[in-house]
Amino acid sequence: MKKNIAIFASGSGSNAERLTNYFTDSEIVNVSLFLTNNKNAGVIERGHRLGIPTVIFNKTAFAKSNKIVDLLTNQQIDYVVLAGFLWLVPENLLKAFPDKIINIHPALLPKYGGKGMWGHHVHEAVVENKEAETGITIHLVNEEYDKGEVLFQAKCEVLPTDSAADVAAKIHELEYKHFPKVVEKVILG
Ligand code: GAR
């Protein structure tokens, strides 16, 4: 039987779109739902265009009620994928999906992780610190930001002339290449 995934995204949602396209004809994974905490997020338009039901929620529903867990359970979601999602995952969601919540982070954790380290903030710090390389980390989610078991990492070079935007483009390229395959692998066990 196919496994249903729900994708959480707070921003543009380009990874959510890549995942959806990758699994379009999959016999393993069905992308059931997009969820976002940001009513202006690009992922909403992508959801409409791709025909994926998209839910917008607020902090109370997410962190102080069982609404999101109930929704995911009712929709028979098997795995949760965080693709640019910026809120800490609450305990009730962790408990409902033990070792079944996967996050992508745009750096080589444990470097450049933790609260406030997301998206362009990460790339700006990488450039500022004159790192020679950076990369992506795909990991299981636990109760702390960016601390769960690492499943996969991939690296790319940072040139002395690279801007944060250049680094972001390299990171997105790595994410598009690897994230769907790693999610598929996790689900296959
Ligand atoms: C991605 O680069 C992802 O790794 C990062 O946000 C971006 C979302 O891009 N996630 C984090 O920073 C989480 N800490 P997208 O909306 O275009 O997929």
Side-chain angles (χ1 to χ4, degrees):
M1 246 223 333
K2 276 199 203 185
K3 299 292 186 193
N4 293 322
I5 67 171
I7 304 178
F8 284 65
S10 301
S12 157
S14 70
N15 276 286
E17 179 160 358
R18 295 294 168 130
L19 286 157
T20 305
N21 290 338
Y22 181 85
F23 291 121
T24 298
D25 296 319
S26 170
E27 289 176 3
I28 300 153
V29 175
N30 174 53
V31 176
S32 302
L33 205 59
F34 287 172
L35 297 101
T36 186
N37 59 312
N38 173 5
K39 64 178 180 359
N40 299 314
V43 72
I44 298 167
E45 183 277 319
R46 292 184 198 264
H48 291 157
R49 182 161 41 77
L50 295 164
I52 306 292
T54 302
V55 173
I56 307 168
F57 58 84
N58 62 27
K59 192 102 192 181
T60 311
F62 187 61
K64 293 195 164 52
S65 85
N66 228 37
K67 279 188 186 156
I68 298 300
V69 171
D70 289 345
L71 171 71
L72 299 177
T73 310
N74 290 337
Q75 298 285 316
Q76 297 180 313
I77 299 300
D78 299 292
Y79 287 83
V80 170
V81 176
L82 310 184
F85 181 64
L86 303 183
W87 285 355
L88 192 65
V89 174
E91 204 183 317
N92 61 341
L93 191 48
L94 289 168
K95 276 204 173 130
F97 292 90
D99 290 341
K100 288 183 174 169
I101 308 179
I102 304 163
N103 182 46
I104 190 156
H105 186 78
L108 296 170
L109 291 173
K111 281 181 143 183
Y112 302 103
K115 194 169 165 44
M117 268 295 161
W118 55 270
H120 65 96
H121 298 290
V122 173
H123 310 313
E124 281 158 12
V126 163
V127 167
E128 198 159 300
N129 291 339
K130 302 190 185 344
E131 295 283 358
E133 62 177 22
T134 185
I136 62 168
T137 303
I138 299 168
H139 65 95
L140 293 178
V141 172
N142 67 10
E143 61 286 349
E144 287 182 86
Y145 278 109
D146 306 323
K147 287 278 174 69
E149 181 194 336
V150 172
L151 303 170
F152 177 88
Q153 291 189 306
K155 290 178 183 176
C156 62
E157 199 182 355
V158 181
L159 301 175
T161 49
D162 278 348
S163 65
D166 295 328
V167 175
K170 290 181 183 179
I171 290 296
H172 264 130
E173 211 174 292
L174 281 181
E175 292 182 330
Y176 300 155
K177 182 171 172 202
H178 297 289
F179 198 22
K181 288 184 191 157
V182 175
V183 168
E184 187 174 46
K185 237 177 160 175
V186 171
I187 291 173
L188 281 170

